[in-house]
Amino acid sequence: MIAKKIRVLIAKPGLDGHDRGAKVIARALRDAGMEVVYTGLRQTPEQIVEAAIQEDVDVIGLSILSGAHNFLFPRVMELLKERGVDDILVIGGGIIPDEDIPGLKEVGIAEVFTPWTPTSKIVEFITSNVNK
Amino acid sequence: MDIYKSVIGGDKRAIARFISLIEQRSEEAINLLKKIHSRTGNAIIIGITGPPGGGKSSIVNQLAKKLRSKNKKVGIIAIDPSSPFSGGALLGDRIRMQELTMDEGVFIRSMGTRGALGGLSKASYDSAKVLDASGMDFIIIETVGVGQSEVDIVKLADIVVLVQVPGLGDDVQAIKAGIMEIGDIFVVNKADKEGAERLVKEIEMTLDLNPNKNEFRPPVIKTVATTGEGIDDLFVNITRVWEHFVKFDIIRKRRLARAKQELIDIVKENYFDDFFQRYSEKIQDMAEQIYQRKMDPYSASEIIIQDIRKVFFN
């Protein structure tokens, strides 16, 4: 038996077409030894949850810049619950106003990373919070 | 969750979990693999290989859609390279397969090579069995982007589709050994680009030179995967090649060779490790002597092999 590799799904929910941030994070996690599944732009919450299940990931990272996080993030959490998935760590990032963060955490988003967060901090958060 | 029952029932979460256990090489995975073995051997395994950026993922996407239109269930294993430095990987094959995600009859799993160098990952062989046992009609294995010699896909697939694109070299490339020898079907993708026609001719010429061409001559198909052009043709040819391979006993021979190779590999992996464990001190000691030129490696190996013979065949 060999140690489990941390698997992460990086997903872009909603309609904005900017994924430089998502790619930077994906690259940083790759360099930290994780397996990162990147699914591309414009994913519905349904697609994200389905892909996360098939890929058996430990972490879902949601990147969003469109402002629709207050709808899309809770929807992802809701679908995970519906499918009986409670062992995936869900984190978010992008342009998200500080005042929205407590509400997102309330629905189960473990952490929200806003611009200028060093990628090392995200790596650290994942490695210390993921289900091992 | 009873993984065995759920996998047989086609449950995607169970399939996903089972594959993770295989990737971790856990004891549980081996027990489950023993249980499912009798339920495998029904799916047709298609390997898609070719250079990076050649359109493999897009072809997989289109081919899977085509198979779905015939009401066939499709399992996909898409492999991308792992970093030899960090061990991490960026698995991006799903980007081209977004429209398949919500399809009930499709399961997609991305994998890192995790050190394997032949274009596949170690776990891909057993993972294909899981998809097979779960009731998939077709299993598509997409290799990493390959160069000239990553040909492990022949050990896993019933039919190998080799994707080529125009603009990568002259006609000598087409007669080189290695990757060009493993295609059962050749696809010239990006056929709307300049040089596609010439590439088709070069491949045809290579196939003409094959001394066994009268037994089986691989078809050459032009596609534009982004638009779906040529995919019907690819599907028809996969069916034709499959029928030919069944009729002329090629599938049985390939699968039998695969079973034999697998058994040898498992024995090697598990029991040679035991040997090396047993001889680790002696090996260390001999390495020192080899390094100091007091002994040569061939003589050293003979000593170990003789000792193994004594233990096992006395």
Side-chain angles (χ1 to χ4, degrees):
Chain A
M1 179 119 174
I2 53 173
K4 188 172 176 357
K5 236 178 230 310
I6 297 175
R7 284 172 64 87
V8 186
L9 182 85
I10 294 292
K12 286 228 19 112
L15 296 176
D16 77 89
H18 306 280
D19 66 347
R20 180 162 162 80
K23 284 174 181 157
V24 169
I25 302 300
R27 168 69 199 267
L29 300 183
R30 185 205 87 175
D31 288 343
M34 301 177 198
E35 282 186 347
V36 184
V37 181
Y38 180 49
T39 51
L41 297 169
R42 299 186 197 93
Q43 299 288 289
T44 64
E46 286 79 5
Q47 284 175 312
I48 292 167
V49 169
E50 186 58 42
I53 286 172
Q54 293 183 17
E55 298 288 355
D56 196 23
V57 294
D58 310 288
V59 184
I60 298 175
L62 299 168
S63 165
I64 192 163
L65 307 174
S66 69
H69 48 270
N70 283 337
F71 170 71
L72 292 166
F73 285 14
R75 181 74 187 131
V76 168
M77 297 312 298
E78 203 178 291
L79 288 165
L80 284 171
K81 205 177 276 171
E82 268 173 34
R83 301 287 293 269
V85 180
D86 55 7
D87 54 357
I88 298 181
L89 182 75
V90 184
I91 56 178
I95 310 290
I96 294 166
D98 287 345
E99 60 264 32
D100 288 353
I101 294 175
L104 295 174
K105 286 193 172 171
E106 212 157 277
V107 299
I109 305 292
E111 191 55 270
V112 175
F113 299 97
T114 49
W116 310 113
T117 306
T119 53
S120 58
K121 217 179 134 188
I122 301 170
V123 170
E124 203 185 294
F125 183 84
I126 290 175
T127 38
S128 47
N129 287 283
V130 78
N131 261 325
K132 276 179 197 153
Chain B
M1 172 167 54
D2 181 339
I3 293 186
Y4 172 73
K5 271 194 193 147
S6 305
V7 164
I8 299 303
D11 179 74
K12 289 185 177 175
R13 257 183 99 188
I15 298 171
R17 203 38 65 87
F18 193 165
I19 293 176
S20 296
L21 291 172
I22 290 169
E23 288 202 297
Q24 292 160 53
R25 293 184 217 164
S26 76
E27 205 64 43
E28 194 185 351
I30 291 168
N31 289 329
L32 285 164
L33 285 164
K34 288 178 186 169
K35 272 174 103 171
I36 64 165
H37 183 76
S38 63
R39 291 178 176 269
T40 59
N42 303 312
I44 298 176
I45 304 179
I46 299 172
I48 310 275
T49 192
K56 293 183 296 301
S57 302
S58 301
I59 287 172
V60 171
N61 179 45
Q62 297 285 2
L63 182 60
K65 279 200 297 181
K66 183 76 201 169
L67 292 167
R68 289 298 297 142
S69 77
K70 306 276 173 195
N71 217 9
K72 302 291 184 194
K73 284 197 263 180
V74 186
I76 298 169
I77 297 173
I79 303 155
D80 264 332
S82 297
S83 164
F85 305 107
S86 73
L90 208 151
L91 311 174
D93 292 319
R94 283 193 95 99
I95 296 171
R96 305 276 173 258
M97 304 179 198
Q98 288 182 1
E99 40 189 338
L100 300 173
T101 308
M102 298 311 293
D103 189 326
E104 277 291 317
V106 177
F107 181 96
I108 308 172
R109 181 62 170 246
S110 315
M111 274 185 191
T113 52
R114 299 194 181 185
L117 296 175
L120 297 177
S121 70
K122 210 164 160 44
S124 54
Y125 301 86
D126 284 336
S127 301
K129 291 183 202 161
V130 178
L131 294 173
D132 192 342
S134 79
M136 298 296 175
D137 301 298
F138 283 83
I139 297 167
I140 305 179
I141 314 282
E142 182 189 338
T143 73
V144 303
V146 302
Q148 295 177 310
S149 64
E150 298 95 326
V151 295
D152 277 358
I153 188 66
V154 294
K155 296 189 216 158
L156 175 53
D158 295 317
I159 297 173
V160 175
V161 177
L162 178 58
V163 180
Q164 301 274 285
V165 287
L168 293 182
D170 66 7
D171 55 342
V172 180
Q173 296 300 333
I175 53 173
K176 283 191 180 171
I179 196 89
M180 287 299 287
E181 295 175 277
I182 66 165
D184 299 312
I185 296 173
F186 286 80
V187 167
V188 173
N189 191 37
K190 308 193 186 187
D192 52 345
K193 295 260 191 305
E194 202 194 316
E197 226 25 82
R198 210 183 66 202
L199 179 57
V200 169
K201 291 214 173 72
E202 284 163 6
I203 294 169
E204 296 280 8
M205 185 199 77
T206 305
L207 296 174
D208 283 339
L209 297 173
N210 185 347
N212 303 320
K213 68 178 171 191
N214 294 329
E215 281 165 40
F216 173 70
R217 192 181 195 284
V220 184
I221 297 151
K222 285 191 289 183
T223 59
V224 182
T226 46
T227 65
E229 204 184 311
I231 297 299
D232 284 350
D233 199 14
L234 175 60
F235 171 73
V236 168
N237 275 284
I238 285 172
T239 313
R240 241 181 241 157
V241 169
W242 171 258
E243 281 163 5
H244 179 93
F245 281 5
V246 169
K247 193 172 161 194
F248 291 91
D249 211 27
I250 295 170
I251 290 296
R252 192 188 63 84
K253 283 182 193 154
R254 280 189 182 182
R255 290 184 171 188
L256 184 63
R258 203 189 301 159
K260 186 177 165 189
Q261 187 60 46
E262 186 183 18
L263 175 58
I264 291 170
D265 287 346
I266 293 171
V267 171
K268 264 192 202 165
E269 189 182 320
N270 293 307
Y271 298 97
F272 274 49
D273 278 358
D274 283 355
F275 286 145
F276 288 123
Q277 210 89 43
R278 187 190 168 102
Y279 289 98
S280 68
E281 253 176 62
K282 201 167 194 169
I283 287 173
Q284 186 63 39
D285 184 50
M286 284 174 162
E288 188 68 38
Q289 295 190 51
I290 293 165
Y291 167 69
Q292 290 176 16
R293 303 299 185 270
K294 289 179 184 160
M295 191 186 245
D296 70 273
Y298 294 98
S299 307
S301 72
E302 280 162 17
I303 293 170
I304 292 176
I305 290 165
Q306 254 172 22
D307 198 56
I308 290 173
R309 283 209 182 106
K310 253 186 257 162
V311 173
F312 279 85
F313 305 106
N314 60 349

